[in-house]
Amino acid sequence: LYLRYSAKQHLFGFDYHVYRTEIMRFKPYVTLDHKTSLKSLGYICSNSQKYNCSLLVCAANDRTVSLLCSNFYHGIRTGTVWQQPAGRPSWPGCHCVPCQSAVDPEGQELPTQCRGQKNKHPDLDMNLCWNEIKRKSHNIRVRLEAFSDNSGKLQLSLQEIIEWLTAKDEELSEQLPIGGDVGAVQHQREFHQAFMEDVKSRGPYIYSVLESAQTFLAQHPFQEPEETLPDGKEVSPRRRMLNVSRSVWKQANVASDLWEKLTARCVDRHRHMERTLERLLQIQAAMEELAVALEQAEGVRDAWEPVGDLFIDSLQDHIDATKLFKEELTQVKEGMKHINDLAHQLAISDVHLSMDNARALEHLNNRWKLLQGSIEERLKQLQDAHRDFGPGSQHFLSSSVQIPWERAISPNKVPYYINHQAQTTCWDHPKMTELYQALADLNNIKFSAYRTAMKLRHVQKALRLDLLKLSSVVDVFREQELQHAEHVMDVVEVIHALTSLYEKLEEERSVLINIPLCVDMCLNWLLNVYDSGRNGKMRVLSFKTGLVILCNADIQEKYKYLFRQVCGPGGLTDQKHLSLLLHEAIQIPRQLGEVAAFGGSNVEPSVRSCFRMAPGKSAIEVSHFLEWMSLEPQSVVWLPVLHRVTVAETAKHQARCYICKQCPIKGFRYRSLKQFNVDICQTCFLTGRTTKGKKLHYPIMEYYTPTTSGEKMRDFAKTLKNKFRSKQYFSKHPQRGYLPVQSVLEVESSETPCSSPRLPHADTHSRIEHFAS
C-alpha cells in the first residue's frame, strides 16, 4: 500500500474502515512527511501490529524520525523505522522525486516525496535502507539518553544546593537573638565564624554547578513561553527538552538567589555582632567607671552637715560649694546619658541586655537619681536658710515688732503684720500706725503746704532719714547698681539696699540705730507711697525719689540730682521724662491725703509751666529746672517748705508772741507788715489763732532764722509804707508764697504716667483725694 500525504490531505481524515481493509489486503509501505498527524500515525502502527503486518515507513526528515522514535518506537516490534538516505534507490516500483529537501544531522539532503519507479535490485536496496534506519535510530537513542543523563544530574545537583542553602538559612535564623552580655556575644561570634567558614567552603562547588547550568542553558536555550497542554495529550520530545531547560533555569535562579541572600546575611550578622560586642564593651567599661564616680560622690554627700547646724555666716560658702559639687558631677551626668543611649541603640537593633547588665544599669540610674535629688534638696535648704536667715534675708526684720505682734511675709515677699491678741492683720507696721495717728494731730494746721511739710518732717525723723547725707545715698545706689531709673525692684532688693543704707549711716554717724526697725519702717513707707496695692514691685526712680526728698541735703543739690535721673546724655530732658519725675514726687503728698491742694495727681500743667522757662524748646537744661523750682511751683511747694521747717526747728527769736505771749518765739516767727510790733509764733499763725476783737492783717513776713538789724529796719519801712495803703490795694495785690500752676478742678490729662497698681477700695488717701478734687 502506498499512501501519499500533502499539506491539504491528512490520514486522520480518511475512512478508518477502508484504511483497515487495505492494510489487511496489502503489505503496507507508508511514506510520511512533516504534515502527518501523530494520531494518524499511531493508528497505522497499532493496526500493523494487530494484523501482523510489517510497516515500512519512509520519513521526510529528522523531525519525523524523532517523533516516531519518541512516540511509537516501542509499539513496532520489527523496528521498521527507516529514513531513506539520499542517493540510494527508492522504494520498489517508485521513483523518489525531491520536491522538498531537508538536511539530516550528518549534512545529507533528504527527499520528502517519491513516485513509483521500477528498480532492478529491489532486495539489495531494501537491506541497505533497513541498515541505515537502524544506524540512525541508534544515534538518536544515544543522543536522547545523553541529554537525559546530563539534565538529570544537573537538576539533582541544583536541587541539592537549594535544599542545603535553605537549611543553612534556617540555621542562621536560629542563631538569633544576639546575647546581652560580652561573654554570650563572643561565644556567638565564634560559632558564627565557624558557620561562615562552612558556607565559604561550599562556595566553589556551588559556583561550579551554577556555571554548569549556565553552560547547559547556552547549549539548550529556550525562547518559547511555557504552554499548558490539554489533559491526555502527550508531550513531544522537543517540548520535553524545552521544559527540562526551563526547569534547569528556574532551579539555577533559585539557587543563585539563595546563595547571594545567605552570604549577605552572614556578612550583616557578622557586622552586627561586631557592633554589638563593641557597644557592650563600652557599656561594661562605662558602668565600672560610673560606679566608682558615684561611690565617691555619695561619700561627699554623706559627709554633709545638717543645714540646721551651720552658721548663718557660712551659708553662702556652703551654697557655693554645693553648686561647685553639682558642676563637677557634669561628667557623671554625661556618662549616664551616654550609657543609656548605648543601651537604647542596642534595644533598637533587637539586642537586649542580659539580666545582670540590666540590673546593674538600673541600679546605677537609681543611685544617680538619688544623688541628684539629694543635691537639689541640699541646695534648696541652703538657699531657703540664706534667704530667711542670711544677710539679705528678712529674718532679721522679725525683731522690728514686739509681742503680741508678729512679722509675716506674703508669697511676693511683701511683709504684713499679725496681732495675735486682737487676731487681726494689716499691711502697716505697728509703729507706722502710731506715726499716722500722730500725723492726724497736725490736721489743725491751716495751710496745706505747711501741714504737708510738718507731716513729712515727722516721717523723716521717724525713719531717721534726717541723719542721712545725699552723698551716702548716692554711694549706696552705686553699690547696688541702681543706675537705670526704669528698672523695677522687688522687695528683697529694696530691703538689701535699705540695710546697706542704714549700716552706712550707723558707721558714719557713730550712733546706735535700730536697723531692723528703721529698715522695716522705711520699707513700709515706700510701699505705702509707691506700691499701695502691695504687688512687691517699684521702679528704681520711685525708690530714689522717695529717699532723696527725705534725706538731709541742700535743696539745690536735691533738685540737681533728681533732674539727672531723668535727663539724657546731653544733660537735657523732655516733657515726658520731666512728667515722670514730677509724678513720682507728687505721690508723697498724695499718700498723706494732701494732693488736692497741690493741683492733684495731674502733672501736665506743672510740666508746661516749667517749659515756659525755655520758650520754643523741646527740652530743658538743669538751669531752667532750678529757676522754675526757685519760684516754688504749686505742685512741689511743700518741698522747700519742708526745708524751711527743718531749719526753723533750731531758730529762737527774741520777741513775744502777740497772741499766746510766748517768749522767745521758737521756730517760725511771723511779723505783720501792716501793724507795728506784732509778732506771732508758728503755732498761733499756722493754726489761725487770734485774740478777741483783733484780726490778723496781711501782709505778713516769715522768718525761719534769727532776724538781723538790717531786716528789722527793712520791715519797719515796709510797715510804715503799708500804713498809708488802702484795703483796695491789698485786695488787688494778694500775697502768694508759691507759683500757681493749676486749679484743683482742672481735668487730669490721660498722659499722666501711672504709678504702681493700687487697691482703691482699701486706700483711704485715694478716697480723700477723690473728695478733695
Side-chain angles (χ1 to χ4, degrees):
L1 175 63
Y2 171 70
L3 300 176
R4 182 173 178 269
Y5 299 95
S6 65
K8 298 179 181 180
Q9 199 171 19
H10 296 281
L11 181 62
F12 189 71
F14 291 138
D15 183 41
Y16 290 166
H17 178 73
V18 177
Y19 189 58
R20 183 173 63 253
T21 303
E22 290 178 345
I23 291 177
M24 292 173 62
R25 291 174 56 190
F26 304 98
K27 185 177 181 179
Y29 293 92
V30 183
T31 301
L32 306 175
D33 63 2
H34 66 283
K35 298 292 184 177
T36 305
S37 171
L38 294 177
K39 190 172 183 179
S40 303
L41 188 60
Y43 181 81
I44 295 173
C45 293
S46 62
N47 280 279
S48 63
Q49 296 175 8
K50 179 178 180 181
Y51 297 104
N52 198 18
C53 297
S54 61
L55 178 63
L56 184 63
V57 180
C58 179
N61 50 35
D62 280 340
R63 179 177 179 275
T64 307
V65 173
S66 298
L67 292 173
L68 288 172
C69 292
S70 61
N71 290 280
F72 307 107
Y73 176 72
H74 299 289
I76 302 175
R77 290 181 299 169
T78 56
T80 56
V81 178
W82 176 75
Q83 180 176 356
Q84 179 180 353
R88 298 281 183 171
S90 183
W91 300 104
C94 298
H95 298 280
C96 294
V97 181
C99 63
Q100 182 177 0
S101 63
V103 181
D104 67 354
E106 297 181 359
Q108 296 174 335
E109 188 175 9
L110 303 176
T112 58
Q113 283 187 338
C114 65
R115 58 187 177 181
Q117 185 180 3
K118 293 182 179 181
N119 198 324
K120 296 180 181 181
H121 306 285
D123 295 334
L124 180 60
D125 291 340
M126 182 64 68
N127 290 333
L128 290 176
C129 290
W130 177 248
N131 291 333
E132 188 67 18
I133 288 172
K134 290 196 296 184
R135 184 181 68 81
K136 290 291 185 180
S137 65
H138 177 72
N139 291 338
I140 292 173
R141 178 180 293 181
V142 170
R143 288 167 55 195
L144 290 175
E145 290 177 353
F147 174 82
S148 178
D149 292 341
N150 292 336
S151 64
K153 291 180 180 179
L154 184 59
Q155 285 179 312
L156 288 176
S157 300
L158 289 173
Q159 186 62 32
E160 179 187 359
I161 290 174
I162 291 172
E163 293 176 355
W164 184 84
L165 290 175
T166 302
K168 287 296 180 180
D169 188 74
E170 294 176 356
E171 183 180 350
L172 183 62
S173 300
E174 292 175 356
Q175 296 179 10
L176 292 175
I178 298 178
D181 55 63
V182 175
V185 175
Q186 288 178 344
H187 176 72
Q188 287 179 325
R189 185 180 64 170
E190 294 175 358
F191 181 81
H192 184 70
Q193 287 177 348
F195 179 83
M196 290 182 64
E197 292 296 331
D198 185 19
V199 172
K200 185 178 180 180
S201 63
R202 189 76 170 180
Y205 170 71
I206 294 175
Y207 286 124
S208 64
V209 172
L210 292 177
E211 289 177 359
S212 299
Q214 187 176 5
T215 303
F216 176 82
L217 292 174
Q219 295 175 353
H220 306 283
F222 64 95
Q223 284 80 20
E224 294 85 350
E226 187 174 2
E227 295 180 358
T228 302
L229 297 177
D231 296 338
K233 187 174 183 179
E234 299 180 356
V235 182
S236 65
R238 177 177 177 80
R239 180 61 60 183
R240 187 177 299 170
M241 292 176 62
L242 294 177
N243 291 340
V244 170
S245 298
R246 185 177 289 106
S247 176
V248 170
W249 174 77
K250 289 181 180 180
Q251 287 182 309
N253 284 339
V254 172
S256 178
D257 293 341
L258 289 175
W259 172 251
E260 292 178 359
K261 178 182 176 182
L262 180 63
T263 53
R265 287 189 63 190
C266 288
V267 173
D268 291 342
R269 182 66 55 80
H270 179 72
R271 292 175 180 174
H272 189 192
M273 286 185 176
E274 293 294 333
R275 289 195 300 267
T276 302
L277 182 61
E278 180 181 359
R279 289 172 180 172
L280 287 174
L281 290 172
Q282 292 179 359
I283 290 176
Q284 184 175 354
M287 285 196 297
E288 294 175 356
E289 182 179 354
L290 287 174
V292 175
L294 285 176
E295 185 177 359
Q296 295 176 353
E298 289 168 349
V300 174
R301 178 196 61 188
D302 296 337
W304 284 342
E305 298 181 20
V307 177
D309 297 342
L310 300 177
F311 292 104
I312 294 178
D313 296 338
S314 65
L315 288 175
Q316 186 60 47
D317 295 336
H318 284 280
I319 291 175
D320 296 338
T322 305
K323 290 182 178 179
L324 181 61
F325 178 66
K326 183 179 180 180
E327 292 177 358
E328 291 175 351
L329 293 179
T330 304
Q331 294 182 351
V332 179
K333 181 179 180 180
E334 293 177 353
M336 291 300 304
K337 183 178 181 301
H338 177 63
I339 196 173
N340 287 321
D341 290 342
L342 289 176
H344 181 65
Q345 293 174 4
L346 288 176
I348 292 177
S349 59
D350 201 20
V351 177
H352 300 282
L353 295 178
S354 63
M355 294 298 295
D356 294 337
N357 286 340
R359 290 195 189 99
L361 180 59
E362 184 180 2
H363 183 59
L364 287 177
N365 281 314
N366 292 334
R367 292 172 62 187
W368 170 241
K369 289 179 181 178
L370 290 175
L371 182 62
Q372 280 185 313
S374 301
I375 295 173
E376 295 297 333
E377 182 64 23
R378 172 78 171 183
L379 192 59
K380 182 179 182 300
Q381 291 177 357
L382 290 172
Q383 290 174 343
D384 291 343
H386 186 266
R387 183 190 67 243
D388 296 336
F389 304 101
S393 68
Q394 300 188 43
H395 176 71
F396 75 102
L397 297 177
S398 59
S399 61
S400 66
V401 295
Q402 303 296 328
I403 298 175
W405 289 94
E406 178 188 356
R407 188 181 190 273
I409 303 174
S410 63
N412 59 355
K413 309 303 180 184
V414 175
Y416 64 96
Y417 304 90
I418 305 173
N419 189 336
H420 293 286
Q421 183 176 357
Q423 296 183 355
T424 58
T425 60
C426 61
W427 290 117
D428 288 332
H429 192 281
K431 294 293 184 181
M432 183 62 68
T433 304
E434 296 176 3
L435 177 61
Y436 282 143
Q437 292 174 355
L439 296 182
D441 298 337
L442 300 176
N443 288 333
N444 60 352
I445 296 177
K446 186 177 179 181
F447 305 99
S448 59
Y450 287 86
R451 185 171 61 248
T452 303
M454 290 292 183
K455 291 181 179 180
L456 287 178
R457 181 60 178 169
H458 279 66
V459 173
Q460 188 182 36
K461 288 182 177 181
L463 302 182
R464 307 301 295 271
L465 294 178
D466 59 321
L467 304 176
L468 196 60
K469 295 181 180 180
L470 180 60
S471 59
S472 300
V473 175
V474 174
D475 291 341
V476 172
F477 291 162
R478 187 182 303 108
E479 292 173 1
Q480 301 298 320
E481 298 181 355
L482 303 177
Q483 305 300 327
H484 301 283
E486 292 300 322
H487 286 186
V488 177
M489 304 172 63
D490 57 20
V491 173
V492 176
E493 292 174 330
V494 173
I495 291 175
H496 195 266
L498 291 176
T499 304
S500 300
L501 198 63
Y502 282 105
E503 289 176 350
K504 194 176 187 67
L505 174 61
E506 187 177 40
E507 180 181 354
E508 291 178 352
R509 291 286 185 172
S510 299
V511 294
L512 185 61
I513 297 177
N514 189 346
I515 293 180
L517 178 60
C518 291
V519 170
D520 218 9
M521 288 281 287
C522 190
L523 174 64
N524 195 167
W525 165 255
L526 291 173
L527 291 175
N528 286 344
V529 175
Y530 298 109
D531 186 21
S532 62
R534 293 305 195 268
N535 294 312
K537 302 289 183 181
M538 71 174 62
R539 287 193 290 257
V540 172
L541 180 60
S542 303
F543 181 70
K544 288 184 175 182
T545 303
L547 292 179
V548 170
I549 286 178
L550 295 181
C551 73
N552 183 14
D554 180 70
I555 192 169
Q556 294 293 321
E557 295 299 324
K558 290 183 179 181
Y559 291 160
K560 292 178 181 178
Y561 181 81
L562 291 175
F563 184 83
R564 287 197 297 270
Q565 303 311 305
V566 294
C567 69
L572 301 176
T573 186
D574 54 12
Q575 293 188 14
K576 177 182 177 181
H577 290 87
L578 181 61
S579 65
L580 287 174
L581 176 60
L582 296 179
H583 176 77
E584 300 297 342
I586 204 66
Q587 298 308 310
I588 294 177
R590 180 182 184 277
Q591 206 278 329
L592 297 174
E594 302 288 349
V595 71
F598 305 106
S601 299
N602 183 18
V603 298
E604 296 303 321
S606 298
V607 174
R608 292 195 298 268
S609 175
C610 181
F611 268 77
R612 292 194 188 101
M613 301 292 105
K617 294 184 178 180
S618 60
I620 60 172
E621 300 176 356
V622 64
S623 59
H624 299 136
F625 181 71
L626 294 177
E627 181 182 359
W628 180 69
M629 292 296 290
S630 65
L631 300 176
E632 297 186 5
Q634 179 183 358
S635 57
V636 290
V637 65
W638 48 270
L639 183 53
V641 174
L642 172 62
H643 279 260
R644 293 201 294 271
V645 169
T646 303
V647 176
E649 286 180 347
T650 59
K652 288 184 179 182
H653 308 275
Q654 297 302 319
R656 183 183 297 274
C657 178
Y658 180 72
I659 298 174
C660 68
K661 309 304 180 180
Q662 178 186 356
C663 183
I665 297 175
K666 295 181 180 180
F668 286 108
R669 172 193 175 190
Y670 295 91
R671 172 180 290 177
S672 175
L673 298 181
K674 180 67 174 175
Q675 298 171 318
F676 291 106
N677 296 325
V678 176
D679 295 304
I680 306 173
C681 68
Q682 69 175 19
T683 303
C684 295
F685 178 81
L686 295 179
T687 59
R689 292 174 58 185
T690 59
T691 58
K692 290 183 179 181
K694 294 183 179 181
K695 186 178 180 181
L696 187 61
H697 296 282
Y698 291 91
I700 295 175
M701 178 62 68
E702 176 188 273
Y703 292 99
Y704 56 91
T705 58
T707 57
T708 62
S709 58
E711 291 174 339
K712 292 179 181 179
M713 289 300 298
R714 183 194 61 190
D715 293 343
F716 178 80
K718 288 183 178 181
T719 304
L720 183 62
K721 185 183 298 185
N722 289 332
K723 281 288 187 178
F724 297 98
R725 289 174 177 170
S726 63
K727 294 181 179 180
Q728 290 78 8
Y729 173 82
F730 291 108
S731 62
K732 292 181 180 180
H733 300 85
Q735 182 184 14
R736 282 180 177 173
Y738 63 92
L739 175 65
V741 294
Q742 174 189 5
S743 168
V744 295
L745 297 179
E746 183 172 342
V747 180
E748 294 188 4
S749 172
S750 60
E751 297 180 358
T752 301
C754 295
S755 60
S756 300
R758 306 178 183 281
L759 297 177
H761 60 278
D763 191 350
T764 304
H765 304 295
S766 297
R767 296 200 298 270
I768 294 175
E769 177 192 353
H770 173 71
F771 294 134
S773 58

